[in-house]
Every structure is written in C-alpha cells, then in structure tokens.
Amino acid sequence: MSRAAVLAGIGGWLPPRVVTNEDLARRFDTSDEWIRSRTGIGQRHVVDQGTSTGDLAFEAGARALKSAGVDEVDAVVVATTTPDHLSPATAPQVADRLGLGGRAAFDVAAVCTGFLYGLATATGLIASGTADSVLLIGAESFTTIVDPADRSTSAIFGDGAGAFVLRAGEPDELGAIGPFDLGSDGSLAELLMIPAGGSRQRSSGRPAAPGEEYFLMQGKQVYRHAVLRMTESAQRVLAKAGHGTDRIDRFVGHQANLRILDAVADRLGVPPERRISNIDRVGNTAAASIPLALADAAAAGELSPGDRVLASAFGGGLTWGSCLLRWPDITPA
Ligand code: COA
C-alpha cells in the first residue's frame, strides 16, 4: 500500500488586537452594515506594531506540535504572502525558534491558496519518503500589506496563523490527506497584486508610484473568478475521489468572503449545516484561513472523527486548489 500523509495535530493563533467594522467606520466612509452584508465579516485580528508573520507562525506551529503530542518533525513549511523578509524565507527562523534547527525548512507562495499548495507539497515530501513528518504553517500579517486608506481591502483582510502536523501513514486511516486538484492562471495576475517591491519594479529603474507597495485588488472580477474556480476545482477533486458532494460531511472554503463561500457551496449542493466558517470573527486571513477555520470548528465540536472534509481555496496568481481529507481523532491546542 502507498504511503499517505496523515493529519496528526492542528493549532491556530490570532494576534490579540481586534479591529471591528465600527473601528473602520471611524477611519473612512463605510459601515458595519455595508461590510457585513457584502462580506459576512464583523471583525478581524490585527498584529501589533513589531509583530511579524514569523511570530504568528511560531505560536500556531507550537500549538500544532502540542496537539500532535510531538516535539520533532523532519521538515517545516510556511505558506505565506507576507514573509518576514523578501529573503530569506520565513520557515528556517520559525523552525529554529521551535527547536527544529537543522531540519528542511522553506516557504510556499500561492497567496490565499498557499495552505493547500503547501499541503500538497508536504504530502509529496511524505509520500516520496523524503520526510516522515512535516509541520505545515499558514501564516499572515496581511494587514501589513493592506493600504490603510483602501476601504475595500481594509474591510476584508486580517492576520493570523494555523498549522497542521502531518505524519506518514496509510491511505485508508483517519486523517489521510488527498486527493488534490491544483491550478493557476497567471494571465490574470493583475487582479490581485502588489505592483512594487519585487524585481519587476526594481529592475525597471522606476521608483514605485504611491500606493504600489500595497496589495491591490479588483474586487468584482476577483469575486467572479473565485466562485467559478473554487467550484470547478472542488468538482474535479470529487471526480478524482469517485463520489459526489452527498458523501461530504463538511465543506471548508478559503474564508475570502461569506457570499463567495455560500455561492460555491450552493453550486456544489452542500447544505448550510455542513459549511464551516469563522469569517465573521477573523476576516480573510489568506494562507492561514483554512487551518484556522478547521481549528476553530474542531474546538467547537463541529468536526467528528471520520468526517469527510472537502477544502477548496482561491487566491492571487491566480491560483486555486481543493483537497479531501478524513477528519482524525485530534484535539486542537
Ligand atoms: N465600505 C463602503 N463602500 C465600499 C467599501 C467599504 N468597505 N469597499 C468598497 N466600497 C465601495 C467602492 O468604493 C465602490 O464605490 P464607487 O461605486 O463609489 O466607486 C462601491 O463600493 C462598489 O464597489 P464594488 O467593488 O463594485 O463593490 P462590490 O459590491 O463588488 O463589493 C467587495 C466589493 C470587495 C466586497 C467585493 O467585490 C468582493 O468581495 N470581492 C472579492 C474580494 C475577495 O474575496 N478577495 C480575496 C480573494 S482571495
């Protein structure tokens, strides 16, 4: 029988500071009613000055290791849009702080699809025998790249981190991850982009224009592509598994926007009681959103061992992806 990656532990961490919709309405022309009705978001957690993605990743990673009851893994993967530095990657320092110095450590960049790309990568490391265990962390201090004057992105994004510990196991045991569907369309990169700061702008000899260092989003088009791509990707992964949504106990979509999540779930035929969402309390935490939503649901008793979980995500790139997993008997830390 082939080797599978099996979920052995889960943890999440949110920075303590909360910014409510009312707080945003004091900064610019918006309202709690506008934000809630368009996005389903009521508040988001925001890093304090001086706190970085690596700090959040460390907290979530430590909790996932505790949940798995281990203090050793062979590799640390951090999925993030907001690394501590352009170079080096964030994962080696996180690994070092967790007492995992010497292990393989690298970042995965697929924006809001980052956790599922990281999960596929970690699964591959285990399936190939390169690693027997992996700590995968999705972490973002996304508010550090949001233009504080942009009411559309300020309303949506928040900070946080969520992590999985994966170990080698059998494909038919609880916790087994897969199959996956992953895809991208780079021709639409400009729909979600930070125009300045990378080699494209630096090599041009042109200084960054005001605002180009921030994450720019073409909201309407993003909305349309998110619904289409997440739905199609979820359908493809179900086809790979050879069953329909009737066998799915829980659907967790990337927490982009509640209307997007509902539109995808409606198209897939997943009834409301099987949908997992914490977007009202945390907003869109990009690469952290799926593990954070699962950690919250597990802590609230909304996931039972044996549940068939469908996860689907969409993000900048454009990128998208989906995967299936059987929920194991674990307790989040
Ligand atoms: N409060 C009040 N008005 C706002 C606002 C806010 N927080 N954010 C945007 N608006 C305004 C816009 O400025 C625009 O005003 P204008 O007509 O005077 O220019 C108006 O609302 C309509 O903007 P539009 O973008 O057409 O609104 P929308 O109905 O599409 O809703 C989003 C905006 C951002 C909520 C919506 O496009 C969306 O959710 N998109 C997907 C975002 C997402 O999921 N991103 C992450 C992907 S991983």
Side-chain angles (χ1 to χ4, degrees):
M1 198 183 270
S2 61
R3 255 160 84 102
V6 172
L7 176 58
I10 184 169
W13 175 250
L14 291 162
R17 186 153 69 97
V18 169
V19 172
T20 64
N21 294 343
E22 289 81 6
D23 294 331
L24 292 182
R26 281 189 281 276
R27 266 176 36 202
F28 36 56
D29 182 16
T30 190
S31 66
D32 181 53
E33 196 282 327
W34 196 99
I35 298 171
R36 272 185 202 277
S37 62
R38 301 287 201 301
T39 70
I41 298 167
Q43 62 172 46
R44 69 286 299 142
H45 289 250
V46 174
V47 287
D48 278 323
Q49 209 171 4
T51 299
S52 76
T53 293
D55 298 330
L56 304 182
F58 167 77
E59 296 290 348
R63 283 164 176 76
L65 291 167
K66 189 169 172 223
S67 159
V70 298
D71 50 19
E72 280 287 331
V73 287
D74 295 335
V76 176
V77 180
V78 173
T80 187
T81 320
T82 50
D84 284 6
H85 306 280
L86 265 182
S87 175
T90 303
Q93 281 173 287
V94 172
D96 184 55
R97 288 172 66 185
L98 288 166
L100 298 167
R103 314 307 191 283
F106 60 96
D107 289 3
V108 167
V111 196
C112 299
T113 319
F115 195 80
L116 291 189
Y117 267 73
L119 193 54
T121 306
T123 297
L125 287 173
I126 288 173
S128 66
T130 307
D132 288 332
S133 56
V134 179
L135 172 62
L136 168 65
I137 310 170
E140 302 280 11
S141 44
F142 212 95
T143 59
T144 61
I145 56 168
V146 162
D147 181 349
D150 180 347
R151 60 183 176 172
S152 148
T153 48
S154 294
I156 289 177
F157 292 101
D159 303 331
F164 279 8
V165 169
L166 302 159
R167 62 165 174 83
E170 308 294 337
D172 58 2
E173 55 175 308
L174 292 190
I177 312 277
F180 283 89
D181 172 77
L182 300 174
S184 76
D185 181 356
S187 73
L188 295 171
E190 287 184 0
L191 296 187
L192 293 154
M193 178 180 269
I194 304 175
S199 62
R200 177 71 66 201
Q201 175 258 322
R202 283 167 186 245
S203 78
S204 73
R206 180 182 65 79
E212 279 190 346
E213 72 275 30
Y214 291 123
F215 187 82
L216 305 183
M217 177 180 80
Q218 297 181 34
K220 266 209 182 342
Q221 289 207 63
V222 167
Y223 188 103
R224 202 166 50 80
H225 282 286
V227 172
L228 186 68
R229 299 308 193 172
M230 280 167 71
T231 305
E232 288 177 347
S233 176
Q235 285 165 339
R236 276 193 298 272
V237 90
L238 288 169
K240 273 189 194 175
H243 60 76
T245 32
D246 51 318
R247 299 266 306 273
I248 295 301
D249 301 299
R250 292 283 164 185
F251 168 66
V252 59
H254 161 53
Q255 306 288 297
N257 172 322
L258 192 61
R259 282 163 64 217
I260 291 175
L261 288 170
D262 284 344
V264 172
D266 286 346
R267 280 166 174 72
L268 292 172
V270 177
E273 65 277 11
R274 295 197 196 152
R275 304 173 190 177
I276 285 174
S277 180
N278 63 353
I279 194 170
D280 59 325
R281 285 173 288 120
V282 303
N284 178 341
T285 58
S289 91
I290 285 182
L292 262 179
L294 286 171
D296 273 1
E302 293 169 16
L303 281 160
S304 305
D307 277 356
R308 285 188 166 78
V309 179
L310 166 63
S312 190
F314 169 87
L318 302 178
T319 54
W320 54 85
S322 298
C323 92
L324 296 172
L325 70 113
R326 290 294 298 279
W327 195 253
D329 192 1
I330 56 172
T331 308

